[in-house]
Amino acid sequence: MIRRIDSFDNAKLLLRDSHYSRIILSHILAYGTEYDFCEFYELLKGNKRVGIFASMNSSLTVDLLDDAHSSSGCIRETAEFIRFKYPMIVEMPEVLIPRRGLNEYRKEKRYFFSVPVAEENAIEDGELLRELPCEAVFDTVFSGQDANYGLWLTDTVRRVNKGIVRIYGYHSAVLTVKCQSYGRAYLADIATPEADRGKGYASALIRLVSQELKKEGIECYLASDESMRDFYLRLGCKELGEDYILKLKERKDYEELI
């Protein structure tokens, strides 16, 4: 059974040290259960909570709780819930992805990498920028072209103000520390303007941020599709594992689904 969580005040969540739980926790810290666009659900096996769902706008993140195990029933209910919510993107452990039944979605392989740390004073041409405006990240990552700019900006500013998200830059390259927990931080939105690509700015930025967070006892990791896999391997990143993201093939009109 899947049931909505109305409050975390009395709910003890045994979140795992995983990418999915890290994303879910960031949503909890950012919004709690006060907003309809950010909802949380529990997956029950018998009377025991074994998983958690975070529905944030058009995305859905799912994870099993610590020491919990999936079953055919859990997989079936998860698939039914995905069809009900109909998100654009789904992130979850591969053990919860059904072999069939989600024909509206395509599976895109993703690779996770640990991030190398820059040696002290190894990068001298410029300095790490720590207080970039959110707009600079948007303009670089999305080239200023996105219909959801207002939504993205509001969410990012809120997370920055709450200390959930950090934004860094090096010359014209930018990246975002999306979330962190269990001594690990997830790096994303890594980009350089097209005119400055090939100058090593993004590579240096990744190493410098990893160096800075290492001093706080935090290890950095990032994710990549096949197109950027070789780049991160050349950078010295170590492959940690892989998974699949589910992406909606196309958004249909509601009437077509009835």
Side-chain angles (χ1 to χ4, degrees):
M1 180 174 67
I2 295 175
R3 182 172 62 191
R4 185 167 178 179
I5 298 174
D6 295 321
S7 173
F8 288 109
D9 293 341
N10 299 315
K12 186 177 181 181
L13 292 177
L14 300 176
L15 296 177
R16 297 193 300 154
D17 178 6
S18 74
H19 172 74
Y20 317 102
S21 284
R22 207 162 279 118
I23 296 295
I24 292 169
L25 179 59
S26 74
H27 294 334
I28 294 172
L29 295 175
Y31 296 104
T33 56
E34 301 175 18
Y35 300 90
D36 289 338
F37 60 82
C38 185
E39 301 173 333
F40 301 92
Y41 299 82
E42 58 183 353
L43 173 63
L44 299 173
K45 188 178 178 182
N47 294 320
K48 181 181 179 182
R49 177 189 291 152
V50 296
I52 184 168
F53 297 70
S55 175
M56 174 69 182
N57 292 321
S58 59
S59 69
L60 182 68
T61 307
V62 187
D63 200 11
L64 293 170
L65 297 180
D66 197 27
D67 294 330
H69 302 281
S70 68
S71 65
S72 58
C74 292
I75 296 170
R76 182 178 62 255
E77 289 195 60
T78 298
E80 291 172 354
F81 188 77
I82 291 171
R83 284 193 292 268
F84 169 71
K85 295 296 287 187
Y86 205 47
M88 295 289 290
I89 297 175
V90 183
E91 292 184 84
M92 62 182 177
E94 194 170 355
V95 293
L96 285 173
I97 299 177
R99 295 183 179 180
R100 58 179 65 89
L102 290 175
N103 297 329
E104 301 92 346
Y105 290 85
R106 66 180 185 273
K107 291 169 61 176
E108 293 192 1
K109 198 168 189 177
R110 177 172 63 173
Y111 303 90
F112 288 98
F113 295 92
S114 63
V115 177
V117 178
E119 299 294 333
E120 288 287 349
N121 303 318
I123 300 172
E124 300 178 354
D125 181 23
E127 61 180 15
L128 183 64
L129 306 175
R130 298 174 177 82
E131 296 184 3
L132 287 179
C134 296
E135 293 83 356
V137 176
F138 181 87
D139 290 340
T140 303
V141 175
F142 301 104
S143 300
Q145 300 174 359
D146 193 298
N148 296 317
Y149 170 67
L151 183 63
W152 179 91
L153 182 63
T154 301
D155 178 60
T156 302
V157 169
R158 181 182 182 91
R159 292 170 188 266
V160 169
N161 290 340
K162 283 180 169 287
I164 300 167
V165 161
R166 305 191 208 182
I167 295 173
Y168 291 95
Y170 179 77
H171 287 281
S172 60
V174 297
L175 71 70
T176 300
V177 178
K178 280 287 192 182
C179 53
Q180 63 185 60
S181 61
Y182 293 99
R184 298 178 188 272
Y186 174 48
L187 309 186
D189 295 339
I190 304 167
T192 307
E194 188 173 354
D196 287 338
R197 292 173 188 169
K199 298 179 180 179
Y201 294 162
S203 300
L205 175 58
I206 291 168
R207 291 192 181 100
L208 287 170
V209 170
S210 183
Q211 179 191 78
E212 174 139 318
L213 295 189
K214 181 72 172 179
K215 295 175 183 177
E216 301 176 26
I218 300 170
E219 301 284 343
C220 294
Y221 73 99
L222 52 83
S224 162
D225 60 13
E226 187 68 48
S227 67
M228 293 296 293
R229 185 184 182 194
D230 288 343
F231 169 79
Y232 289 119
L233 289 173
R234 290 196 301 271
L235 183 61
C237 297
K238 303 297 183 183
E239 200 165 309
L240 299 173
E242 58 191 50
D243 74 349
Y244 290 93
I245 294 181
L246 300 182
K247 291 189 176 181
L248 196 62
K249 293 177 182 177
E250 59 179 320
R251 176 72 76 173
K252 299 178 181 179
D253 292 334
Y254 179 72
E255 290 78 9
E256 295 180 42
L257 301 176
I258 301 177

